[in-house]
Amino acid sequence: MDDRLVASRNDFVELMGRAMEAEGMPRIGGRIVGLLLFEGRPYSFSELATELGVSRGSISSNTRLLVEREMIAKCSRPGDRQDYFRVADDLYGDLLSGVCRRIRRTSGDIRRIVGELPDEGDTPRERLERFADFYDAVADGIQVAADKVRAQRDTAA
Amino acid sequence: MDDRLVASRNDFVELMGRAMEAEGMPRIGGRIVGLLLFEGRPYSFSELATELGVSRGSISSNTRLLVEREMIAKCSRPGDRQDYFRVADDLYGDLLSGVCRRIRRTSGDIRRIVGELPDEGDTPRERLERFADFYDAVADGIQVAADKVRAQRDTAA
DNA sequence: CATTATGTTCAGTCAATAATGAACGTATGC
DNA sequence: GCATACGTTCATTATTGACTGAACATAATG
């Protein structure tokens, strides 16, 4: 393979690793997604381990995590015992939905706390409600974006 | 202070601590913001340390970080040497702008890598461009939300 | 049945970084 | 000038969580 292409690929894989890390997930998870995205074809379990130079244990736990979050999908091939992985059909939409869910969980937590505030006295009820509203507004916005992405994909297909 | 109110406050402070941690910032930073938001009044440097039960060193580094990110603001009082802190006027908008900036940086990184791909041959150019487009679309959406939040605040005031 | 391929689990290691607290510089008030 | 209050810095400690690799379970293959 072209040297420059390899260099680009490594850059991209590392970039995705760091981006994933910033989202609070293991770096290797991002590397896996990056590799699959860059190459645009399924990779086998062992291929992932050798290509990324990480332990099989890491591949096992990270692919499981990524499949759970629907960022990649497991697929198999007739006459081949290995597990293969590819990027999920709706990777973009699912990325957004995940962010969305996290935000809504936080807003829900805030509202739960507000609900337990004493009724009388000087409480921060209104301030906290506005804060929760803010979170929900952001989640709404992202949800719209996710729907848009899905619509676009469905039209293209 | 009412016991239940104290309990709620601790819950909220801890919630903000964890939320901030999820955003890749120190937990204490979130606790500071949570306390200021809940109480709705400025707190002095020492108050923050004693109230949150953390070292003065932590208060120093975390308030600096939060001021840099414009999530809180330093304010002073005539005839008082202490530093006081309050939530920033545009906390919400700045939170969103921060997220936005991070996303655009990633999309820029992707486009830089795409720009260095060899011209000919089978390259993932189009795939990666679509990925960068996705990131930008999300950033656009968040930017809109941030503007909306600012507009709302300016009307209310 | 022995061997090999495959993926999982988990105890231990390692690295990143948050938090502490003592030492320090500076300013204030007595 | 002395004592005190305030905030910063930085070396050290503690914590967290990713990663490894060996042991394991399972299934295919000859």
Side-chain angles (χ1 to χ4, degrees), chain B residues 4-26:
Chain B
R4 269 165 65 208
L5 198 50
V6 172
S8 293
R9 196 185 75 170
N10 290 342
D11 286 350
F12 184 72
V13 167
E14 272 319 300
L15 177 62
M16 288 298 103
R18 288 197 309 274
M20 194 72 82
E21 201 171 38
E23 295 301 318
M25 289 182 74

Side-chain angles (χ1 to χ4, degrees), chain B residues 18-153:
Chain B
R18 288 197 309 274
M20 194 72 82
E21 201 171 38
E23 295 301 318
M25 289 182 74
R27 181 178 297 192
I28 290 185
R31 290 211 270 248
I32 292 173
V33 174
L35 181 60
L36 295 179
L37 212 48
F38 193 98
E39 295 293 346
R41 67 166 175 89
Y43 267 70
S44 75
F45 188 98
S46 309
E47 259 182 316
L48 288 175
T50 57
E51 202 70 30
L52 295 175
V54 299
S55 74
R56 296 163 64 75
S58 288
I59 297 297
S60 176
S61 57
N62 278 279
T63 50
R64 180 153 39 83
L65 184 62
L66 290 170
V67 168
E68 269 168 20
R69 304 221 177 177
E70 299 186 276
M71 296 179 63
I72 67 175
K74 192 186 280 198
C75 51
S76 41
R77 294 180 169 182
D80 191 338
R81 284 211 277 136
Q82 283 189 93
D83 289 346
Y84 282 78
F85 298 92
R86 60 178 175 77
V87 295
D89 290 333
D90 189 22
L91 170 63
Y92 300 163
D94 282 323
L95 277 174
L96 290 184
S97 299
V99 174
C100 216
R101 206 174 320 124
R102 259 174 32 203
I103 294 176
R104 286 200 202 281
R105 187 180 318 135
T106 301
S107 95
D109 288 340
I110 296 173
R111 289 189 200 284
R112 188 163 325 116
I113 290 172
V114 171
E116 282 167 10
L117 285 173
D119 283 337
E120 77 302 329
D122 189 20
T123 73
R125 179 182 300 276
E126 206 203 329
R127 226 179 359 262
L128 300 191
E129 267 170 2
R130 253 183 291 143
F131 194 50
D133 288 344
F134 164 71
Y135 267 57
D136 280 334
V138 174
D140 289 347
I142 294 178
Q143 192 64 58
V144 168
D147 294 344
K148 203 182 293 179
V149 167
R150 289 206 178 89
Q152 211 166 18
R153 177 197 49 143

Side-chain angles (χ1 to χ4, degrees), chain A residues 45 56 60 82-83:
Chain A
F45 187 98
R56 297 164 64 77
S60 175
Q82 283 189 91
D83 289 347

